[in-house]
């Protein structure tokens, strides 16, 4: 029996500016933090200079996307305002107008992200980016420029992609030479400033875009306790809270939850705020929640000791936090080539959790399998492993909808092979193979993988075929 979805369910595929566009300094675009970080790794993997070269192939690529449906993509702040807070670059506006118009001409609904890890580097040089309140004003202006330029055609907006994950990675937050004892204080201040910017952009979208809908995009976290000991169950809950839920509480309710306020206060890192912030944050009401899902985690309770007082962190993305939680390996799950534990059931669980807690419509904006793909001698990519991964996760979406979750769209990562921040073009996610290697551009030919045709069938039938 076919697992059918509602007729208005949105099927799509996602991308981000710095990972596909290339043309990093063409037509007036400014340097970004993502560019700067990628250039430091140029000797070992591909960088953002060319990426997938979407900038020069967008018409051809969108013609391929027409066969898939909805596309989510991000704008580059530095292509529109090269210095972050200076003059507007009309060539950048023109490029995105051309992309949006071409999408619409091909009956593809644009679902746009304003900020995906690529802060204009000029703002880092001016005042260390998000550490300074002036970055909030710069972002609000950038968002307003986008709403005014594109809001007549773009009605669906995400403000920031994975702030809750971005904030954990020093490199993505341009925290290059921070004194260790100041790191968490600066991190908390940057995080807070991004929340205020997000709220301002949410409020402005509702005011400036007729019929506009806007929401946050989070890196979702679902954590299992390592045992049924009460302290391990609590630790698992706190891992979810500290890595995702605190951010959703701020987006949806305009304030940090009690457990997070207590943590910031006890650790002496509570951010500086402005009197007007409370009204701004409370007024910002998202229309939906977008979530990116790849894996689940396991946690056990991690007590403090003499060397590790409350709040001491180890690692970054899946950090351990003394007094709260330690990340463990799940022995019951298989992992991808790059270590992500594969868990479709976790997607059903996290969809249920977010919907029951926040009662907002949900859309999945990233979910996919990053792994090396092999191009055969006859020019094909047989990625049955990706098809199996997507089948299981789409089935989990169908099950969550049956549970009562209001899920209105599914956009796998990614529409085409993109530049991975850590593995370049060795790690591929796309339905479309881009014929290049890290240090050999080849012909950049676009090749449909087996998964392309499979997903095309899913969209055409609005559901999953029988196994």
């Amino acid at each position: 029996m076919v697992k059918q979805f509602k007729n208005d369910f949105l099927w799509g595929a996602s991308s981000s500016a710095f990972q596909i566009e290339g043309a990093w300094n063409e037509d007036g675009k400014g340097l970004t933090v993502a560019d700067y970080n990628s250039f430091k790794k140029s000797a070992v993997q591909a960088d953002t200079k060319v990426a997938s070269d979407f900038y020069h192939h967008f018409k051809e690529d969108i013609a391929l996307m027409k066969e898939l449906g909805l596309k989510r993509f991000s704008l580059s702040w530095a292509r529109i305002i090269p210095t972050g807070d200076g003059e507007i670059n009309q060539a950048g506006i023109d490029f995105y107008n051309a992309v949006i118009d071409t999408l619409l001409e091909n009956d593809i609904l644009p679902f746009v992200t304003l900020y995906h890890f690529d802060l204009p580097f000029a703002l880092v040089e001016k005042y260390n980016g998000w550490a300074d309140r002036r970055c909030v004003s710069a972002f609000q202006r950038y968002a307003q420029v986008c709403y005014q330029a594109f809001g007549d055609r773009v009605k669906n907006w995400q403000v920031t992609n994975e702030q809750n994950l971005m904030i954990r990675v020093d490199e993505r937050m341009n925290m290059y030479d921070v004194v260790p004892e100041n790191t968490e204080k600066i991190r908390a201040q940057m995080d807070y400033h991004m929340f205020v910017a997000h709220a301002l952009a949410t409020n402005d979208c509702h005011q400036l875009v007729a019929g506009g809908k806007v929401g946050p995009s989070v890196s979702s976290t679902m954590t299992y306790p390592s045992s049924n000991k009460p302290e391990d169950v609590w630790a698992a809950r706190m891992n979810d809270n500290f890595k995702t839920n605190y951010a959703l509480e701020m987006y949806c309710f305009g304030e940090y939850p009690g457990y997070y306020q207590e943590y910031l206060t006890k650790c002496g890192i509570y951010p500086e705020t402005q009197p007007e912030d409370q009204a701004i944050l409370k007024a910002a009401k998202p229309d939906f929640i977008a979530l990116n899902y790849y894996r689940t985690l396991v946690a056990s309770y991690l007590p403090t000791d003499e060397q590790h007082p409350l709040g001491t962190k180890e690692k970054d993305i899946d950090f351990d936090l003394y007094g709260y939680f330690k990340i463990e390996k799940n022995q019951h799950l298989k992992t991808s080539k790059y270590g992500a534990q594969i868990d479709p059931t976790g997607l059903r669980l996290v969809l249920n959790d977010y919907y029951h807690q926040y009662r907002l419509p949900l859309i999945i904006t990233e979910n996919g399998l990053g792994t090396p793909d092999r191009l055969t001698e006859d020019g094909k990519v047989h990625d049955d492993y990706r098809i199996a991964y997507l089948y299981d996760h789409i089935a989990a979406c169908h099950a969550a909808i049956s549970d009562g979750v209001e899920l209105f769209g599914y956009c796998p990562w990614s529409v085409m092979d993109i530049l991975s921040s850590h593995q370049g073009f060795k790690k591929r996610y796309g339905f479309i193979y881009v014929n290049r290697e890290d240090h050999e551009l080849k012909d950049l030919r676009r090749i449909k993988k087996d998964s392309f045709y499979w997903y095309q069938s899913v969209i055409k039938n609005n559901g999953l075929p029988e196994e």
Side-chain angles (χ1 to χ4, degrees):
M1 183 175 178
V2 176
K3 293 181 173 69
Q4 208 76 37
F5 287 74
K6 289 184 178 179
N7 289 334
D8 59 352
F9 191 81
L10 300 177
W11 297 100
S14 299
S15 66
S16 80
F18 82 90
Q19 291 173 287
I20 66 165
E21 280 184 7
W24 75 277
N25 63 349
E26 289 188 36
D27 296 331
K29 180 184 172 292
L31 180 74
T32 71
V33 168
D35 293 328
Y36 179 85
N37 291 338
S38 82
F39 297 163
K40 292 192 296 182
K41 303 172 186 173
S42 293
V44 295
Q45 67 176 55
D47 56 32
T48 59
K49 292 188 180 77
V50 176
S52 304
D53 205 27
F54 176 77
Y55 193 80
H56 298 112
H57 291 79
F58 75 89
K59 290 186 178 180
E60 169 193 350
D61 292 340
I62 290 172
L64 289 168
M65 292 165 196
K66 183 178 182 179
E67 301 180 49
L68 289 175
L70 170 74
K71 175 182 184 287
R72 166 188 172 240
F73 72 104
S74 71
L75 308 176
S76 172
W77 184 351
R79 196 176 291 286
I80 293 172
I81 307 175
T83 60
D85 59 357
E87 292 185 9
I88 297 169
N89 177 32
Q90 187 58 43
I93 298 286
D94 293 344
F95 171 68
Y96 289 120
N97 270 326
V99 170
I100 291 164
D101 288 344
T102 306
L103 288 169
L104 292 171
E105 288 165 7
N106 286 276
D107 299 318
I108 299 172
L109 179 70
F111 206 104
V112 175
T113 304
L114 288 168
Y115 175 46
H116 190 125
F117 304 166
D118 55 352
L119 183 74
F121 202 78
L123 298 181
V124 176
E125 296 173 316
K126 286 179 184 177
Y127 40 73
N128 198 24
W130 290 109
D132 194 292
R133 182 78 183 203
R134 287 171 289 182
C135 199
V136 175
S137 299
F139 184 81
Q140 182 182 22
R141 174 176 174 251
Y142 159 63
Q144 290 173 347
V145 167
C146 293
Y147 296 150
Q148 289 163 349
F150 314 124
D152 59 328
R153 289 151 294 151
V154 177
K155 303 301 179 182
N156 297 285
W157 297 85
Q158 289 173 224
V159 179
T160 306
N161 180 70
E162 296 184 339
Q163 175 185 330
N164 62 313
L165 177 63
M166 177 169 37
I167 195 66
R168 301 178 220 161
V169 184
D170 291 355
E171 183 181 66
R172 287 181 179 160
M173 299 308 301
N174 52 270
M175 296 173 65
Y176 304 116
D177 301 304
V178 180
V179 179
E181 53 265 32
N182 296 336
T183 299
E184 296 309 314
K185 176 76 172 174
I186 293 172
R187 193 187 315 280
Q189 189 67 60
M190 287 180 163
D191 204 22
Y192 179 77
H193 282 157
M194 281 197 287
F195 282 124
V196 176
H198 193 287
L200 288 165
T202 299
N203 294 334
D204 286 343
C205 183
H206 287 143
Q207 292 172 10
L208 297 175
V209 180
K213 293 186 177 181
V214 62
S217 172
V218 297
S219 172
S220 61
T221 316
M222 169 55 61
T223 310
Y224 306 126
S226 61
S227 79
N228 58 6
K229 290 163 56 178
E231 54 265 43
D232 290 338
V233 175
W234 178 83
R237 183 72 56 84
M238 294 308 287
N239 186 62
D240 289 342
N241 285 347
F242 272 72
K243 291 175 181 169
T244 305
N245 294 342
Y246 84 98
L248 287 170
E249 294 260 341
M250 182 63 102
Y251 293 136
C252 295
F253 307 129
E255 62 183 359
Y256 286 130
Y259 60 80
Y260 204 67
Q261 291 191 40
E262 181 183 42
Y263 159 75
L264 294 170
T265 302
K266 282 187 175 180
C267 293
I269 58 174
Y270 205 97
E272 294 180 12
T273 66
Q274 298 294 329
E276 66 271 21
D277 291 350
Q278 186 175 15
I280 293 167
L281 291 163
K282 288 284 187 181
K285 300 298 182 185
D287 299 296
F288 60 83
I289 293 170
L291 63 125
N292 302 339
Y293 176 87
Y294 292 98
R295 72 259 170 81
T296 51
L297 298 168
V298 172
S300 61
Y301 176 62
L302 180 61
T304 59
D305 56 39
E306 289 185 7
Q307 286 75 38
H308 304 97
L310 182 78
T312 303
K313 280 185 179 179
E314 292 184 348
K315 299 178 291 187
D316 51 14
I317 293 177
D318 293 332
F319 64 82
D320 300 332
L321 190 65
Y322 282 84
Y324 294 95
F325 48 79
K326 176 181 175 58
I327 301 304
E328 310 281 2
K329 184 176 176 61
N330 192 330
Q331 303 296 332
H332 303 286
L333 296 176
K334 295 179 180 179
T335 63
S336 71
K337 167 79 172 178
Y338 292 100
Q341 296 191 307
I342 299 171
D343 185 6
T345 299
L347 177 55
R348 181 180 185 177
L349 290 169
V350 83
L351 288 169
N352 271 276
D353 273 9
Y354 290 176
Y355 186 66
H356 293 150
Q357 188 165 353
Y358 303 105
R359 290 292 171 175
L360 287 171
L362 303 174
I363 181 170
I364 295 167
T365 43
E366 288 186 29
N367 171 237
L369 180 65
T371 192
D373 287 327
R374 189 175 70 86
L375 186 64
T376 61
E377 289 185 8
D378 59 348
K380 298 183 183 301
V381 178
H382 302 303
D383 56 341
D384 55 312
Y385 41 86
R386 182 169 290 109
I387 292 170
Y389 177 99
L390 292 171
Y391 185 102
D392 290 344
H393 285 79
I394 294 172
C397 292
H398 189 271
I401 293 170
S402 299
D403 295 336
V405 173
E406 187 180 352
L407 179 69
F408 67 93
Y410 177 76
C411 300
W413 187 260
S414 56
V415 65
M416 62 199 302
D417 289 340
I418 55 160
L419 171 67
S420 171
S421 297
H422 298 291
Q423 289 87 20
F425 277 85
K426 290 183 275 300
K427 185 179 184 182
R428 295 177 181 265
Y429 283 94
F431 293 111
I432 301 165
Y433 186 90
V434 177
N435 192 32
R436 66 157 295 177
E437 303 296 339
D438 278 336
H439 294 114
E440 185 182 357
L441 289 178
K442 297 186 175 180
D443 57 7
L444 293 167
R445 187 161 41 102
R446 275 58 170 150
I447 300 165
K448 300 173 190 176
K449 303 178 187 179
D450 287 357
S451 60
F452 181 101
Y453 298 104
W454 177 84
Y455 190 50
Q456 182 184 54
S457 175
V458 169
I459 295 172
K460 180 181 178 180
N461 296 316
N462 197 34
L464 289 174
E466 293 184 35
E467 290 186 275

